[in-house]
Structure formats: C-alpha cells, structure tokens
C-alpha cells in the first residue's frame, strides 16, 4: 500500500507558466483534498472532492483548478503561475463524506515560482 | 464557524522533559478534534483523535491529549520528550462537516 502519492516532489516555474500537480491514493477513499502550506499559516484548503465526479472550492481557490479524474486520482492545475503560489502543496484523502475519519496525507510538492 | 488556536508557534524543551502543546477550539456543536505531526520534509500523519468517546485520548509515540469542554481545549502532552519528537504539530477541529480546520502549527524543538 503506497497510501497517497504526489508528483512531482519539487518544481520550479517561471511566472506565467502552467503545470499540473498529480495525486493518487490506493486506499479506495471517497474524499480527496488539496492544501497549501505556508510558514506560520498552517494548512489552507484549496479545493476538495467529496466523491468521484464532484469538486468544490475551499478557502483559497483563486488561481487553481482541479480535476477528479477517477476515484483514485485528483489533480491540481496552475494555469498561470504567480510568485504568490510559491508554497508546499499537500494532497490528502479520507474515507467518507459526512463521517469523521482522519485524513491521510501525501509527502508534498515543493513549488517555487520565480 | 469552527476555528483552532495553537498557543505558541515554537515550543522548546530539553530531552526527558514534559511536552505540552496547547490547542483551543471554537465550535458551536460538539467537535471532533485531531492532532497531526509533520516531520521535516514529510506530509502530516495522525497522532490521535477525539470523537466524543473517552475524554483522555492516547495516541502514537507516547502522546496523549485531554478534551476539556469547559475550557474548550485539547492540549497535547508527552511525559518525556525524545529527540525524535522534534517536528511540527497541528491541531484540527471538525464539527460534522468532514473537512477539518487546522491550526497554524507549533514547532517542537528538543534540546539534548
């Protein structure tokens, strides 16, 4: 069981470039999430997907789009990267909607936008 | 709305000393509460969770937390710190919505 995997681990982009962060989970979880982590700010939710075929905005969705490709995969796209999007991005999954289960996190993608 | 406040962005202890990391929450309904740990360059992993059963919750690596409704607190403790406990710790609250709100984190520094 790999749990939650993320690719790439590191990425440097120039302002205006686009990229997609990939996330996959092998735990058959319904719900998946994208967070960003910035120093002193904790984790802030970007987008989430309660189940396959649905996505919703979180606290800081501007500048991002997501795709829930299937039950396993949830990708995050930056269409036109900005320096303010320099951050560490975490993908997470949890077991079910409307029921409290802990989240399982991937190892993160460290993104720098110059 | 729910919120979490972690008092102290950094806590420094000596190896073998008591660890106390503070978390206070705000929630209009009985909450579910979590502590996560993040080791350097890794993702978060669950330490323990409170889901309205016993108020004293035991987690991994010798950590425990006590839910105190009257104080709206869920502080994390460990009797004796180890060098390997050095990490970032996050408190989170959920109240029926499955999406938790995270605190800003507390960095635990352990001195030899």
């Amino acid at each position: 069981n790999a749990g939650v995997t993320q690719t790439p681990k590191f990425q440097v982009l120039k302002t205006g470039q686009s990229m997609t962060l990939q996330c996959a989970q092998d735990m058959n979880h319904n719900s998946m999430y994208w967070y960003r982590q910035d120093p002193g700010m904790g984790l802030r939710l970007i987008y989430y997907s309660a189940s396959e075929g649905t996505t919703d905005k979180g606290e800081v969705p501007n500048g991002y789009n997501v795709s829930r490709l299937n039950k396993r995969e949830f990708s995050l796209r930056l269409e036109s990267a900005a320096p303010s999007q320099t951050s560490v991005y975490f993908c997470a999954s949890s077991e079910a909607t409307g029921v409290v289960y802990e989240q399982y996190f991937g190892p993160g993608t460290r993104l720098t936008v110059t | 709305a729910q919120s979490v406040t972690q008092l102290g962005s950094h806590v420094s202890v000596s190896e073998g000393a008591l660890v106390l990391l503070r978390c206070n929450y705000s929630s209009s309904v009985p909450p579910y509460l979590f502590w996560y740990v993040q080791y350097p360059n890794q993702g978060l992993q669950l330490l323990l969770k409170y889901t309205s059963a016993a108020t004293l919750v035991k987690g991994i690596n010798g950590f425990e937390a006590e839910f105190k409704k009257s104080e709206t607190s869920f502080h994390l403790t460990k009797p004796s710190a180890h060098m390997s406990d050095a990490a970032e710790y996050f408190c989170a609250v959920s109240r029926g919505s499955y999406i938790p709100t995270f605190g800003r984190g507390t960095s635990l520094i352990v001195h030899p």
Side-chain angles (χ1 to χ4, degrees), chain A residues 31 33 48 50 94 96-101, chain B residues 1-3 25-34 50-52 92-101:
Chain A
S31 302
Y33 315 78
Y48 64 100
S94 66
T97 302
V99 179
V100 178
Y101 286 100
Chain B
Q2 59 200 30
S3 65
Y25 68 90
S26 170
S27 176
S28 58
V29 297
Y32 299 110
L33 294 156
F34 308 83
Y50 167 76
T51 57
S52 75
V93 62
S94 171
R95 60 167 180 88
S97 162
Y98 59 97
I99 304 173
T101 298

Side-chain angles (χ1 to χ4, degrees), chain B residues 8-19:
Chain B
S9 59
H10 294 83
V11 170
S12 182
V13 300
S14 298
E15 193 173 20
L18 171 72
V19 175

Side-chain angles (χ1 to χ4, degrees), chain B residues 18-91:
Chain B
L18 171 72
V19 175
L20 171 60
L21 304 182
R22 299 178 187 272
C23 173
N24 289 89
Y25 68 90
S26 170
S27 176
S28 58
V29 297
Y32 299 110
L33 294 156
F34 308 83
W35 275 100
Y36 286 85
V37 61
Q38 183 183 30
Y39 297 106
N41 299 314
Q42 294 186 26
L44 280 71
Q45 58 182 279
L46 184 72
L47 264 183
L48 50 82
K49 63 181 177 183
Y50 167 76
T51 57
S52 75
T55 56
L56 183 62
V57 182
K58 294 188 185 300
I60 61 172
N61 301 336
F63 284 92
E64 61 182 36
E66 186 172 8
F67 172 69
K68 291 188 177 180
K69 184 178 178 181
S70 60
E71 298 177 10
T72 60
S73 69
F74 190 57
H75 302 331
L76 182 70
T77 60
K78 181 174 180 178
S80 177
H82 192 274
M83 295 296 289
S84 61
D85 294 326
E88 189 89 13
Y89 291 80
F90 292 92
C91 183

